[in-house]
Amino acid sequence: MKLIYLYILLTFIPLMAAGQKTDGNVFGDVKSNGEHLSFVYVFIQGKTIATSTDNSGHYMLVNLPEGEHILVAQMIGYETQTKKIKVIKGTTIEVNFDLKEVLNSINEVVISGTKTSKRKTDSPVIVNVLEGKMLNIIQATTLSEGLCFQPGLRVETDCQTCNYSQLRMNGLGGAYSLILVNSRPVFSPLTGLYGLEQIPANMVDRIEVVRGGGSVLYGSSAIGGIVNVITKIPDNNSYQVTSNHSWIGNGANDFQLNANANVLSPQRNSGMSFFASHRDRESYDQNGDNFSELPMLKNNSFGVTAFLKPTENQKIEFSISSLYEYRFGGEMSTKPAFLTQQSEERTHNVLMGGIDYEITFNEKISFSAYAGAQSTKRNHYTGILPEPDDQPAYNNHLLNPPYGNTLNRSYQGGVQFNYKTDKFITGTNLFTVGTEYFYDDIVDEIDAYNYKLDQTTRTSGSFLQSDWNFARGLTFLSGIRADKHNLVDKLIVNPRLSLLYKYKNTSQLRVSWSTGFRAPQAFDADMHIAFAGGGISRIRLSDDLREERSNSFSASFNFDKPTERFILGYTLEGFYTQLNNSFVLEEVGSDKFGVIYEKRNAASSLVRGVTVELRGNYSGKVQLEAGYTYQKSSYENPVSYSATLPAVKHYLRSPDNYGYYTFTLTPKGKFNASISGVYTGKMEILHLAGAPENPVNDKYVTTRGFLENNVKLIYLTKVIRLNLGIEIFGGIKNIFNAYQNDFDSGKNRDSNYIYGPSAPRTYYFGIKFGSL
């Protein structure tokens, strides 16, 4: 109630100053390299007075308050510039800006590390950014393809039949990382199974990645970190259409058509950004057994992000997206799924969206309220056709085939209040306090397997954060969050402490500690039914499953040296995460349908490692980025994955080393090019018996390492008369065909025996056109 009273009181502050006319005006233009820039944001620092340059690059601010002010010109992709001005009543002055284009994104504004806007170099928590334009340059068409090109991250495919994927961050599995859309956790535990491949790249403006414990701000399941997908917001009137055709391996076709459009009002106080995406991919068979290694995909997605600024200090953002996907893997046949030898069929209808309201009273006080929701409806089939000579089982399958239905709904709402004080003991402090509520309900059932998951989770959480700049170059970030989860008896409290030391403008040293938790519930991989040995495997939760707790430590050193033409930099980070009451899967038996695994608590486990990042840029024309991670992951006590194999301490499906690189050439001429690659080191995985390649005994297999290299060439041209830009592109993914060559075959295959790159060598060609 105190927050509400304060909000009502402060709402009237801007109104008290209304109506004061001074006839003190400022006008001018904004240029870069001699050319005028439109849509540059020009504002008075510390005030709610702002405007933007028009199509000719000019601006004007009228009736400014008398006195000395700081005038700021700001635009994404350019260095922010400030100028001191003195406003005198009845006087008009001219102030012009000449902005420099940034060579690299070393100091852009991010929000995910502290839930407040901060420069990357000022954030006590490392935040990595992957721009939407980089996704285009490296030909990443989905979120799953793009996240591979971030340090400490690895995206893996975990099913040979349906190709569900998960994101591993700092060595931890997918359920330890939280995926946000516009800072809201609308990705439910179910959506995580296929959502990484369902989010098209043309929906994305940028992706912010925070590695390490994030539970203090985001609650459950942020132990490994968070990925925040920021959708596009209109900053001009434009459109773009892209058509792309790929040939996978021995000729499977993959066609994609994407479109974007931005609409912005002349006053730049409202606008909409639209996206649409269509994909049609044929199934692909690597080993010639007529069972797919890449499933058939049919996707249609569309959505809109809009904003409205009722006043200069208020903003409303709204977004809604609809994702449709049909996925079919297994025997490559036109027959209905239940008549195929083995298959998985999925039809997803996902609707997600959110609304945010923000009001900035002055440079010290702001308030926001937000709400989000998602609904997923899924029809699915997962089955193996019994042999005809087993007449009872065969007839029962035909009469009651294993079709299922899933309904998943999630809702979230919350408020956040920020207050900055310039006199806090010593230095400045930005306090952030907020509270939020999250509800998720899922019902997933397959009658033929006597399988049903009916899970409802409710979490209410409150957080407090202090961002204290207590001395020159020193910032101390502290925070605490309390969560009440309906599946946990007691209140869960998670603190975080981070220290940032900035040396000049080139270096940052960070040290951080945090705790986190994961609720005792079913997550994405727990809802996946796999094939093995002619049956299916399922996962159930232990009756006495407790929440998983974490302690995370990290230390990093960041260095960037900018010159007139060059930027060279590196980051060295060490991380250490201890999990208590670790979740593990152990085989507990079988029934007539197949193997049963149980999700249990182990004593503890440990993940530790080092990540190195390198980056360089020359005049914005040549750019190199690379990342490499070395890590170890192990349990305190051995874990049993098969009744016939010895228990082991080390994590399965967790390589000790992995990394990526991108090298891009973007001269001002007509040709651009990029070379990129993803490296996955050796790892040990489980191979269950049943297929002809492994008919008798379960076994552990140590895979080989893979280096997947890609190349893309781009030709650019313009039709000035039509204000039209055209881009013709082509390239090769996985040039040297570094792809798994020992897949199981036939309907009795172990569908989880899959590793390495997600697709074989793929050729592609496309065209893009849109407004300049």
Side-chain angles (χ1 to χ4, degrees), residues 507-697:
S507 307
Q508 303 92 45
L509 176 65
R510 296 175 173 90
V511 180
S512 183
W513 166 78
S514 64
T515 68
F517 83 103
R518 202 154 68 104
Q521 65 183 76
F523 292 93
D524 44 14
D526 304 326
M527 303 177 200
H528 178 254
I529 295 177
F531 296 107
I536 60 163
S537 63
R538 287 139 298 147
I539 297 171
R540 74 186 188 193
L541 304 185
S542 170
D543 292 335
D544 57 353
L545 189 67
R546 293 170 292 163
E547 75 274 11
E548 191 173 24
R549 301 301 301 267
S550 70
N551 263 290
S552 297
F553 301 87
S554 68
S556 66
F557 179 75
N558 187 87
F559 175 82
D560 288 286
K561 178 64 176 177
T563 64
E564 184 68 23
R565 292 186 175 273
F566 286 96
I567 289 182
L568 296 174
Y570 66 89
T571 300
L572 179 65
E573 179 189 21
F575 58 90
Y576 177 101
T577 299
Q578 183 177 29
L579 301 175
N580 297 314
N581 298 327
S582 303
F583 293 160
V584 296
L585 295 179
E586 293 190 313
E587 182 179 337
V588 294
S590 61
D591 58 17
K592 64 179 180 180
F593 304 117
V595 179
I596 299 174
Y597 290 92
E598 186 171 83
K599 186 174 183 177
R600 297 172 170 177
N601 292 112
S604 68
S605 66
L606 186 64
V607 179
R608 65 277 194 201
V610 177
T611 292
V612 180
E613 303 173 47
L614 300 175
R615 50 192 169 271
N617 190 298
Y618 173 71
S619 292
K621 299 177 181 179
V622 181
Q623 182 165 312
L624 171 67
E625 294 184 9
Y628 174 80
T629 299
Y630 177 79
Q631 56 132 87
K632 291 286 186 179
S633 307
S634 59
Y635 294 100
E636 180 183 1
N637 298 320
V639 176
S640 174
Y641 296 97
S642 168
T644 62
L645 291 175
V648 295
K649 284 189 174 183
H650 53 270
Y651 282 22
L652 299 186
R653 307 191 70 89
S654 183
D656 289 345
N657 48 80
Y658 49 93
Y660 76 97
Y661 74 90
T662 62
F663 179 74
T664 60
L665 297 171
T666 54
K668 299 299 182 181
K670 292 189 174 182
F671 291 95
N672 291 340
S674 72
I675 302 173
S676 60
V678 176
Y679 173 72
T680 304
K682 296 179 181 180
M683 57 183 165
E684 190 166 72
I685 66 174
L686 177 65
H687 190 185
L688 298 175
E693 292 77 8
N694 184 32
V696 181
N697 297 317

Side-chain angles (χ1 to χ4, degrees), residues 742-757:
D742 65 340
F743 286 109
D744 280 357
S745 63
K747 73 176 187 178
N748 293 332
R749 62 186 185 177
D750 175 8
S751 64
N752 284 340
Y753 185 62
I754 182 172
Y755 56 89

Side-chain angles (χ1 to χ4, degrees), residues 201-219:
N202 70 315
M203 173 181 171
V204 178
D205 177 65
R206 71 183 189 278
I207 301 168
E208 296 184 4
V209 178
V210 180
R211 300 191 302 273
S215 289
V216 69
L217 286 181
Y218 298 99

